């Protein structure tokens, strides 16, 4: 589905932020990208989405090279949905209008059908359709930004820190919603996250970036069980609430 091959990228005439990244993501899986602040996680997601053009290497979708395909064509032609890290909802617009913004390129009938489906899937949004997005909680805003990406029925969903700033309970709900999307649709989901334990708990595979390179990659459950990984990249022991047997966390 997605194949990133030896991608180098940076901004303006600055140095390379990504120094040769390889990554794959298949339909029906959630791939998590982890790593410290400023290591290039968002830059990598923007390369896949088309906001940043690679300086070298390629980004392929379904076998074709899309490295230089602009964002709008990625959305319409390759059916890519992108939820950015910040400013992901328009506070002065209603919930309904925020979602419909994601469907401007769709025929009206399809748009209405998809909108109705989303309202059935996310009752917390349905009850607030006519409210301004500024009146939503942080978690509801994240679900709203997901719904805006989903209305165009993407095949690929790119999420930049979907749990940022959320309480543990809301974080859990947002991750559950993302896992439900994968299980229901078989979509290919790539998400950048800081909440490593929770993200690894719902994802299938993960990449840990360090200084613009892939430092560790593997199945999420293997990463969770790896003591060195925990020590270096997950900040030591998991919080008590995260020590769930299903995650196979050691210790
Ligand atoms: N538009 C931009 N112009 C110039 N430099 C940028 C731009 N966006 C990001 N950078 C730089 O690229 C580097 C990587 O940024 P990026 O946003 O990809 O990191 P990140 O891993 O997503 O960090 P965080 O965890 O803080 O979100 C940083 O040094 C940042 O200052
Ligand atoms: Mg980022």
């Amino acid at each position: 589905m997605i194949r990133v091959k030896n991608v180098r990228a940076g901004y303006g005439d600055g140095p390379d932020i990504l120094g040769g990244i390889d990554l794959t993501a298949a339909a029906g899986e959630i791939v998590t990208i982890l790593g410290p602040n400023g290591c290039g996680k968002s830059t990598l997601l923007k390369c896949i989405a088309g906001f940043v053009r690679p300086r070298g290497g390629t980004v392929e979708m379904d076998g074709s090279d899309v490295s230089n395909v602009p964002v709008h064509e990625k959305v319409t032609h390759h059916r890519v949905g992108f939820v950015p890290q910040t400013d992901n909802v328009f506070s002065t617009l209603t919930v309904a209008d925020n979602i419909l913004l994601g469907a401007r390129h769709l025929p009206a009938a399809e748009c209405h059908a998809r909108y109705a489906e989303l309202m059935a899937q996310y009752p917390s949004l349905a009850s607030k359709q006519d409210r301004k997005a500024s009146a939503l909680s942080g978690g509801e805003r994240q679900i709203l930004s997901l719904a805006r990406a989903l209305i165009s029925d993407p095949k690929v969903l790119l999420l930049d820190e979907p749990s940022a700033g959320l309480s543990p309970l809301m974080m859990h709900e947002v991750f559950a919603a993302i896992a439900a999307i994968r299980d229901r649709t078989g979509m290919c989901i790539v998400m950048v996250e800081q909440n490593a334990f929770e993200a690894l708990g719902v994802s299938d595979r993960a990449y840990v970036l360090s200084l613009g390179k892939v430092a560790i990659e593997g199945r999420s459950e293997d990463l969770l069980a790896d003591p060195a990984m925990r020590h270096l990249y997950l900040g030591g022991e998991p919080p008590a609430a995260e020590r769930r047997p299903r995650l196979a966390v050691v210790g």
Side-chain angles (χ1 to χ4, degrees):
M1 183 85 243
I2 297 175
R3 182 176 292 276
V4 172
K5 277 191 203 160
N6 198 23
V7 158
R8 289 190 304 106
Y11 297 93
D13 50 13
D16 282 354
I17 302 295
L18 303 179
I21 298 275
D22 292 303
L23 171 149
T24 60
E29 71 172 351
I30 299 177
V31 170
T32 299
I33 300 171
L34 301 167
N37 290 119
C39 71
K41 303 181 297 297
S42 295
T43 303
L44 176 55
L45 213 58
K46 287 181 202 162
C47 277
I48 299 171
F51 290 100
V52 170
R53 290 195 181 191
R55 288 173 175 170
T58 53
V59 176
E60 290 175 12
M61 284 180 186
D62 281 334
S64 40
D65 184 350
V66 295
S67 313
N68 293 309
V69 171
V71 177
H72 64 89
E73 217 176 299
K74 287 244 177 78
V75 173
T76 53
H77 203 73
H78 298 277
R79 294 172 54 199
V80 175
F82 178 63
V83 178
Q85 182 169 359
T86 50
D87 304 326
N88 53 16
V89 300
F90 294 91
S91 299
T92 56
L93 298 182
T94 64
V95 166
D97 286 342
N98 262 285
I99 296 172
L100 292 169
L101 269 181
R104 281 171 304 170
H105 58 289
L106 295 183
E110 192 182 335
C111 174
H112 288 128
R114 296 278 312 149
Y115 184 83
E117 242 177 75
L118 286 169
M119 289 302 102
Q121 272 154 21
Y122 300 110
S124 64
L125 294 182
S127 61
K128 293 179 177 161
Q129 288 175 69
D130 301 321
R131 304 265 299 269
K132 291 265 165 56
S134 55
L136 299 184
S137 74
E140 288 165 344
R141 288 166 77 101
Q142 293 293 12
I143 299 284
L144 174 58
S145 62
L146 262 184
R148 186 179 52 218
L150 290 175
I151 195 166
S152 59
D153 194 18
K155 281 166 65 179
V156 172
L157 187 58
L158 307 173
L159 307 171
D160 200 345
E161 300 207 23
S163 78
L166 301 184
S167 70
L169 188 65
M170 285 308 305
M171 190 200 309
H172 194 74
E173 269 184 38
V174 167
F175 282 133
I178 294 166
I181 293 165
R182 170 197 55 197
D183 298 342
R184 196 177 57 241
T185 64
M187 218 174 269
C188 169
I189 301 176
V190 181
M191 70 175 176
V192 168
E193 259 303 328
Q194 295 283 356
N195 291 302
F197 281 104
E198 278 283 348
L200 291 173
V202 297
S203 65
D204 300 278
R205 290 188 303 111
Y207 293 80
V208 182
L209 303 193
S210 176
L211 302 173
K213 302 247 187 212
V214 174
I216 298 180
E217 65 176 283
R219 294 190 325 143
S220 301
E221 58 191 282
D222 294 340
L223 264 60
L224 274 167
D226 179 354
M229 166 76 197
R230 277 222 313 277
H231 180 68
L232 285 171
Y233 295 102
L234 301 179
E237 294 301 310
E242 300 308 318
R243 287 191 206 126
R244 290 184 299 229
R246 73 179 174 84
L247 297 180
V249 175
V250 177

